[in-house]
Amino acid sequence: MSALKKLTALIICIAMLCICLVSCDEILGNNQGNNQNGDVELQSDNYVASIRIKYATNDDKMKAAIDAMGTPDTTLTVMGDELKLESGATINSISVDNEYVYIGGVLYHTNTVTVADKGITSLKKAEMDEAKVDSLISKAGAGATIDLGDFITHEMTTSGDVTTFTCTEMDEESKASLTEIFASKFNGLGAIVRLESVSYILDVKNDRNQSSTLSCDFVIDLDGETYELTMHLYCDYNYDAEVSITAPDNADAYTDATVDEILG
């Protein structure tokens, strides 16, 4: 595998892993409350979260890898206890798309790999209880979901009806857990990925999350070279979107599997 392809594959791994570390407390709508007048309870268990990623680096090789990959994107649709997670990424002429649908206690996973104009699709399903939903969001995330409680330093500012929380200096336990998760995913590429720093900004309006920005600074050792990369993960919440989650029409075509096999 060429150095460029290795770097691109590495960034895709980082992108997909970071997407899955968006706080489950936010994603699953554990932030319901009243409006500022205190007389109407806001509906917040049906919404769409759009997640996008941007990178910053001063290294030309890393820039080329980012350009080769394009912009990974993820959409999470939540309807009460049911959810759909769609993500996609591209490396050169190869695209990888994943769709997870959790409905009626069953998790359906559709994985499609497309090379040029040829595609291969894998269909798997497994029974899953609600206790595993966090793992769906964090994709085998052994304990690290990011929220305000993971940071030592918090600053709160208010502008109109929007409150902004700015968090820096992640606590040692959370950082160690997050670093361990990152490091364990890149052995196959022969890379060592170090998470140097993390910051987090959250905008809240009427007790509902409106948007967040997670910024991670990485140092990557690969093939005797050291690269620095900053990733910004943006998440926007839409509570007015019309949401609909249904089981796949071809549900019978899905092969039985375990939750661990699907989530990795």
Side-chain angles (χ1 to χ4, degrees):
M1 183 183 292
S2 69
L4 176 59
K5 288 185 177 179
K6 274 191 176 183
L7 280 173
T8 310
L10 184 67
I11 295 171
I12 288 178
C13 288
I14 291 174
M16 294 299 102
L17 187 56
C18 283
I19 284 171
C20 299
L21 293 174
V22 174
S23 169
C24 293
D25 287 339
E26 297 163 35
I27 288 295
L28 297 179
N30 296 331
N31 50 355
Q32 297 181 11
N34 295 334
N35 69 7
Q36 290 183 336
N37 295 325
D39 55 3
V40 179
E41 185 170 339
L42 292 172
Q43 178 276 324
S44 61
D45 58 355
N46 291 356
Y47 58 91
V48 175
S50 300
I51 303 165
R52 64 192 188 282
I53 294 177
K54 291 186 178 180
Y55 300 95
T57 180
N58 292 323
D59 186 273
D60 291 338
K61 291 181 182 179
M62 187 66 75
K63 287 179 181 177
I66 293 170
D67 291 340
M69 181 190 65
T71 304
D73 57 81
T74 292
T75 300
L76 180 68
T77 302
V78 175
M79 190 170 68
D81 295 328
E82 300 169 350
L83 62 87
K84 178 169 64 175
L85 178 66
E86 301 165 282
S87 65
T90 301
I91 172 172
N92 296 325
S93 60
I94 302 172
S95 63
V96 180
D97 296 290
N98 285 285
E99 179 183 270
Y100 299 85
V101 175
Y102 176 60
I103 185 171
V106 179
L107 175 64
Y108 299 91
H109 178 216
T110 305
N111 170 257
T112 301
V113 179
T114 304
V115 182
D117 59 348
K118 297 181 180 180
I120 299 175
T121 298
S122 169
L123 305 175
K124 295 182 179 180
K125 64 180 179 180
E127 293 186 359
M128 187 177 82
D129 59 36
E130 290 185 20
K132 282 284 189 177
V133 169
D134 281 3
S135 294
L136 169 59
I137 303 300
S138 62
K139 298 281 208 334
T145 55
I146 297 171
D147 61 19
L148 302 178
D150 292 307
F151 293 86
I152 298 172
T153 304
H154 306 83
E155 293 184 4
M156 185 178 72
T157 59
T158 301
S159 176
D161 54 2
V162 175
T163 300
T164 299
F165 298 89
T166 301
C167 305
T168 56
E169 193 180 355
M170 179 175 270
D171 70 63
E172 289 302 320
E173 183 178 353
S174 297
K175 188 174 181 180
S177 176
L178 185 55
T179 300
E180 181 180 357
I181 290 172
F182 275 109
S184 67
K185 300 300 180 182
F186 304 104
N187 295 334
L189 293 172
I192 298 175
V193 179
R194 300 190 301 277
L195 181 62
E196 292 291 289
S197 63
V198 184
S199 63
Y200 182 64
I201 299 173
L202 174 66
D203 288 336
V204 178
K205 179 180 179 180
N206 292 338
D207 295 334
R208 298 195 302 195
N209 297 334
Q210 300 299 305
S211 63
S212 65
T213 302
L214 173 68
S215 298
C216 299
D217 294 317
F218 297 99
V219 174
I220 302 167
D221 295 325
L222 178 64
D223 294 340
E225 300 283 345
T226 298
Y227 306 93
E228 295 183 357
L229 176 69
T230 298
M231 185 211 70
H232 302 289
L233 186 150
Y234 303 95
C235 183
D236 296 303
Y237 300 85
N238 183 351
Y239 299 92
D240 298 321
E242 293 186 8
V243 299
S244 175
I245 299 175
T246 60
D249 292 336
N250 60 337
D252 292 341
Y254 284 66
T255 302
D256 289 330
T258 67
V259 173
D260 289 340
E261 288 173 341
I262 292 176
L263 299 183

